[in-house]
Amino acid sequence: MLISIFLIMPLMTAIACVLIKKHSISKYVSVAGSFILLLYTVYLNYNIYLHYSLKELNGFFYVDALSMLTAQIVSVVGFAAALYSVGYMDAELQEAAFPEKRLRWYYFLFHSFIFTMLAVCVTNNLGIMWVAIEATTLSTTFLVGFYNKKSHQEAAWKYIIICTVGITLALFGVILTYHSSKDVMGEIGYALNWTDLLAVADRFEPHLMKLAFLFIIIGYGTKAGLAPMHTWLPDAHSQAPSPISALFSGVLLNCSLYGIIRFHIITSKCLGPNFSCTLLMSFGLVSVMVSIPFILVQRDYKRLFAFSSIEHIGFIALGLGFGGVYSIYGAELHTFNHAVAKSLLFFCGGNLFLKYKTREMESIKGVIRTMPVTGIILIIAVFAITGIPPFNIFVSEFIVLADAFSSKSTFVLIFTSLLIVFLVLIFIGYTNNIFKMIFGEPTDNIVQGEINRFTIAAMCFLLVFVLIISFYVPPIMREILRQISDIMRNA
């Protein structure tokens, strides 16, 4: 029942939040539910550390190190976002940005979103995983359009249309995978179970499997924000409330990437690693490259953070595509590092919006003097996200790049060299835009002081992870990452 309880927790929290009519109570129920989920994730992590994998309900649920890392990101960022939501939504409520009764549905959708993302991680059935990824779109569309204004509604429509087209293509990938395995597996009930498919993947029909992975990387890649299918991402991230933007960037993209990785492992066993690795590297490099001009000329800081997410998802895809032991280790560590650092940036962005009432970077000056704590955390978060030593993103980027440069493949060396040039350009664009906001004379008529203690507490919580992993990767996380590397390379 370990996995079932894990799924029930966010569902119960969502139901409790919508049934409680008083916002003064439901916001604490939301935080308490997220905190219990976080503690339970640590317990489940320890079980995976000891037993390598867990199965439940005749193999319907399956959790291994790969599932656990993504679930861990969901619970860590989920708790931080729940805590930040208390301060952020309270501040917006005081300014009458929306009616109070709508908050019940905000918390219901928030925890439903957490539930769907955990369902993606723990199901063994690739068909159910597709349903869970689609369900993340349905539960979050209303959150993108939460303020019910024209720009938010347009972003919500764009989000649901593009992601639905993408997820439909992914469905073709799932169906083709089933057909490529039918001669081996037969028409049996568990024919889409990942563990059963992996056991016989070397006997699949190879041409169908190639086509299947192509549909999967385009379909799930749309949801993961890989270029050129990323067009929904900047609008949805910038229009959603800041806690939801953090969940989108830090968690949702990783869940979709998780779906690609599961198919990448099966495809590698069927065809050898070259085909799927080459596709991952190609989409990864294009994603990093596409983000550069938008970061260099950006005026809206939430859109800047969104394009940075496209860059980092591209970097992770490149690391996985390089395929070495340490590049996979570094890429998976990067998923966690990016999740905490980017969510921290979106929380800083939320504080800026509450204080300055704008997302235009040119209209914001002197953050370090107006909100000293937010200003200092923003500086650290920008250094972290751009890969400045010794911060956590630098650690994972260095591991990936060092492993790639030790490769004997000319193809990998060319990709790695281009990647370094792109990262330097992104660093210039990022620091040039953000540091103009942090320093200088404060904008007129802005009252000095932080927003409230809940927003600061949520930021400090994530900051602890950023700083710890900058200097020390805990043994349990090292073991989880090592197991992921084994799963991907020994398929």
Side-chain angles (χ1 to χ4, degrees):
M1 291 295 288
L2 280 176
I3 305 173
S4 304
I5 293 170
F6 191 49
L7 273 183
I8 289 169
M9 283 181 178
L11 208 53
M12 295 297 291
T13 310
I15 293 169
C17 286
V18 80
L19 290 178
I20 297 170
K21 293 183 179 178
K22 289 187 176 179
H23 168 57
S24 57
I25 298 174
S26 63
K27 63 185 181 184
Y28 293 116
V29 170
S30 168
V31 173
S34 301
F35 184 65
I36 293 169
L37 181 70
L38 177 63
L39 293 180
Y40 194 79
T41 308
V42 174
Y43 173 66
L44 208 55
N45 229 326
Y46 183 66
N47 274 274
I48 295 298
Y49 179 76
L50 292 180
H51 306 296
Y52 202 80
S53 65
L54 295 171
K55 277 187 179 181
E56 236 176 69
L57 298 178
N58 294 321
F60 183 76
F61 290 137
Y62 175 76
V63 173
D64 59 9
L66 186 56
S67 326
M68 206 59 244
L69 180 70
T70 310
Q72 189 173 283
I73 292 170
V74 174
S75 61
V76 168
V77 177
F79 170 68
L83 190 60
Y84 188 81
S85 290
V86 175
Y88 185 86
M89 301 310 276
D90 271 358
E92 291 225 297
L93 189 61
Q94 287 172 9
E95 295 172 6
F98 48 81
E100 183 175 349
K101 61 182 180 183
R102 203 179 295 170
L103 273 175
R104 290 166 59 195
W105 294 104
Y106 170 84
Y107 285 114
F108 172 76
L109 292 168
F110 180 100
H111 291 283
S112 300
F113 183 28
I114 298 286
F115 165 75
T116 54
M117 289 190 290
L118 289 180
V120 172
C121 304
V122 302
T123 183
N124 193 19
N125 187 291
L126 296 179
I128 301 297
M129 185 172 75
W130 179 87
V131 172
I133 291 177
E134 172 64 359
T136 61
T137 309
L138 299 177
S139 61
T140 49
T141 301
F142 294 105
L143 290 169
V144 174
F146 181 75
Y147 297 104
N148 206 23
K149 295 176 182 173
K150 188 179 177 183
S151 59
H152 298 84
Q153 288 176 347
E154 285 176 356
W157 276 111
K158 188 174 180 181
Y159 169 59
I160 196 168
I161 290 170
I162 294 176
C163 286
T164 301
V165 170
I167 207 77
T168 305
L169 294 175
L171 180 60
F172 284 120
V174 175
I175 293 169
L176 287 169
T177 302
Y178 171 75
H179 278 284
S180 72
S181 69
K182 202 166 67 175
D183 290 342
V184 183
M185 300 281 289
E187 296 179 1
I188 51 178
Y190 54 85
L192 278 176
N193 278 4
W194 183 81
T195 47
D196 295 305
L197 288 170
L198 183 65
V200 293
D202 52 342
R203 291 187 281 153
F204 287 2
E205 208 292 309
H207 295 97
L208 275 179
M209 201 58 225
K210 272 187 181 178
L211 198 57
F213 187 73
L214 195 58
F215 274 110
I216 288 293
I217 198 167
I218 293 173
Y220 287 154
T222 303
K223 197 72 182 283
L226 285 174
M229 300 85 71
H230 64 284
T231 49
W232 65 271
L233 194 149
D235 293 319
H237 281 50
S238 60
Q239 298 300 325
S242 286
I244 304 304
S245 303
L247 280 175
F248 270 168
S249 201
V251 188
L252 177 63
L253 305 186
N254 285 330
C255 284
S256 304
L257 197 60
Y258 169 86
I260 294 173
I261 293 170
R262 286 290 181 197
F263 280 91
H264 166 55
I265 295 169
I266 291 177
T267 309
S268 294
K269 186 164 183 179
C270 176
L271 304 166
N274 285 347
F275 177 74
S276 51
C277 282
T278 303
L279 280 177
L280 281 169
M281 284 193 295
S282 303
F283 278 102
L285 192 70
V286 169
S287 300
V288 177
M289 186 173 66
V290 163
S291 69
I292 295 172
F294 295 99
I295 288 175
L296 287 173
V297 302
Q298 194 54 244
R299 294 182 174 181
D300 180 326
Y301 57 80
K302 281 191 82 174
R303 291 179 73 86
L304 175 72
F305 301 157
F307 279 107
S308 166
S309 295
I310 296 166
E311 171 224 337
H312 283 281
I313 286 295
F315 183 88
I316 294 165
L318 270 162
L320 295 171
F322 290 154
V325 176
Y326 291 107
S327 58
I328 292 172
Y329 180 101
E332 288 297 332
L333 178 61
H334 200 83
T335 61
F336 186 86
N337 287 341
H338 171 250
V340 292
K342 184 55 62 62
S343 301
L344 186 58
L345 267 178
F346 273 111
F347 290 172
C348 292
N351 281 9
L352 294 181
F353 183 75
L354 290 174
K355 179 65 70 175
Y356 293 88
K357 313 299 178 201
T358 180
R359 297 199 308 266
E360 291 290 325
M361 287 184 279
E362 286 182 358
S363 305
I364 299 174
K365 303 287 180 195
V367 175
I368 194 73
R369 291 167 65 179
T370 309
M371 294 187 290
V373 177
T374 300
I376 291 169
I377 294 177
L378 181 58
I379 292 171
I380 295 172
V382 169
F383 280 152
I385 207 70
T386 51
I388 296 296
F391 292 106
N392 60 337
I393 294 279
F394 167 77
V395 174
S396 46
E397 286 186 348
F398 181 80
I399 293 171
V400 171
L401 293 172
D403 194 51
F405 269 120
S406 68
S407 169
K408 294 176 182 175
S409 164
T410 308
F411 195 49
V412 170
L413 291 174
I414 292 171
F415 269 55
T416 311
S417 303
L418 287 171
L419 179 60
I420 290 175
V421 174
F422 294 162
L423 291 178
V424 171
L425 290 172
I426 288 166
F427 168 76
I428 293 169
Y430 226 110
T431 51
N432 183 49
N433 282 319
I434 296 291
F435 281 88
K436 287 178 182 173
M437 294 196 299
I438 295 175
F439 299 107
E441 284 297 315
T443 310
D444 293 338
N445 303 322
I446 296 294
V447 179
Q448 292 192 359
E450 300 296 334
I451 303 301
N452 56 50
R453 64 181 187 278
F454 286 105
T455 59
I456 296 299
M459 291 160 71
C460 289
F461 174 74
L462 290 181
L463 184 63
V464 168
F465 287 97
V466 170
L467 295 177
I468 287 177
I469 298 186
S470 298
F471 301 98
Y472 174 73
V473 180
I476 191 166
M477 178 171 266
R478 286 205 301 269
E479 176 58 21
I480 292 287
L481 294 170
R482 188 196 64 74
Q483 287 184 18
I484 292 174
S485 200
D486 283 351
I487 292 167
M488 293 188 67
R489 286 178 57 82
N490 299 325

